[in-house]
């Protein structure tokens, strides 16, 4: 027997259930099929530190694979380049040409990280393309990586359409974004084989301290799952479940299901 003591209670319960269903679908669309590109607990790629002293700068930086914490630690200081009178850069990058899983059917990159210093010059780049007329030593698609100082690690998502390969070699800032002109967006070949990934501290003077847990592609289809390399790892996060109708609701409006 079903006894309805309040139509408003029924309506409210249905609204809550539908909200959870919509939320679950959004989480599923955005997070299901996470394709791990690098896990710093068991790194598959060779990471190399490069700083601006190669171009006369004063910045310093190191990258360490910490086997105890299972993290990659990017630490340093971005200083003023004397002849430019502007901040330089530090970066850590994988060796170009290494084998990567196919991320061409994914929505973008996801970095799980934690910052220990207030610094606004973090960036991430991938690939080897450059625009016509680009500087000979610059390459790849780049985007800003805004990260506040927090106690916990956070998953930072970077849709592919936020990257551009038309960026200023002196500052790292985008000159023409992907949104402004699609010719500077990551092409399919670069997502299919990212070639290299780099994490930067660039264009902003200050101390850098970033801990990296994983780098992944997110929002990938099942086609990517079946064709990815054995070094990659798919992760399906739990999805919220709609709240069932309670057998009794302790309120003035009560629904009883018997």
């Amino acid at each position: 027997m079903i006894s309805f003591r309040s139509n408003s209670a029924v309506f409210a319960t249905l609204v809550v259930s539908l909200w959870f269903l919509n939320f679950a679908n959004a989480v599923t669309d955005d997070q299901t099929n996470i394709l791990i590109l690098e896990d710093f607990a068991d790194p598959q790629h060779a990471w190399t530190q490069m700083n601006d002293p190669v171009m006369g700068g004063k910045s310093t930086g190191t990258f360490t694979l910490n086997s105890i914490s299972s993290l990659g630690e990017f630490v340093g200081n971005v200083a003023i380049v004397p002849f430019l009178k502007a901040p330089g850069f530090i970066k850590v990058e994988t060796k170009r040409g290494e084998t990567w899983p196919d991320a061409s059917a994914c929505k973008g990159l996801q970095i799980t990280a934690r910052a220990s210093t207030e610094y606004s010059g973090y960036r991430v780049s991938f690939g080897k393309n450059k625009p016509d007329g680009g500087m000979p030593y610059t390459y790849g698609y780049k985007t800003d990586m805004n990260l506040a100082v927090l106690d916990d690690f956070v998953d930072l998502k970077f849709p592919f359409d936020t990257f551009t390969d038309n960026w200023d070699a002196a500052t790292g800032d985008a000159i023409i974004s992907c949104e402004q002109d699609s010719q500077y967006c990551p092409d399919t070949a670069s997502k299919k084989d990212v070639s290299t990934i780099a994490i930067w501290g660039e264009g902003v003077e200050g101390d850098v301290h970033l801990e990296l847990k994983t780098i992944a592609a997110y929002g990938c289809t099942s086609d990517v799952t079946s064709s990815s390399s054995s070094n990659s790892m798919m992760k399906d996060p739990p999805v919220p479940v709609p709240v069932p109708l309670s057998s009794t609701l302790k309120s003035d409006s009560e629904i009883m299901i018997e």
Side-chain angles (χ1 to χ4, degrees), residues 89-165:
F89 74 89
I90 62 175
K91 74 170 178 175
V92 60
E93 183 178 18
T94 63
K95 182 179 178 180
R96 292 177 64 179
E98 292 185 322
T99 300
W100 296 87
D102 179 356
S104 60
C106 303
K107 293 182 178 180
L109 297 186
Q110 174 179 295
I111 297 177
T112 301
R114 178 173 63 187
S116 300
T117 58
E118 293 283 356
Y119 183 72
S120 59
Y122 291 117
R123 308 179 198 269
V124 56
S125 67
F126 75 93
K128 57 186 178 182
N129 284 359
K130 65 176 65 179
D132 292 339
M135 299 291 286
Y137 54 86
T138 62
Y139 54 87
Y141 299 97
K142 185 182 287 188
T143 192
D144 295 342
M145 186 166 65
N146 299 315
L147 185 61
V149 174
L150 297 171
D151 292 334
D152 297 327
F153 283 85
V154 293
D155 295 331
L156 302 166
K157 289 183 171 60
F158 308 96
F160 282 128
D161 60 10
T162 62
F163 288 82
T164 178
D165 65 353

Side-chain angles (χ1 to χ4, degrees), residues 52-53 56-60 77 79-82:
D52 62 24
K58 301 293 185 179
S59 300
T60 59
N77 175 267
I80 300 296
V81 178

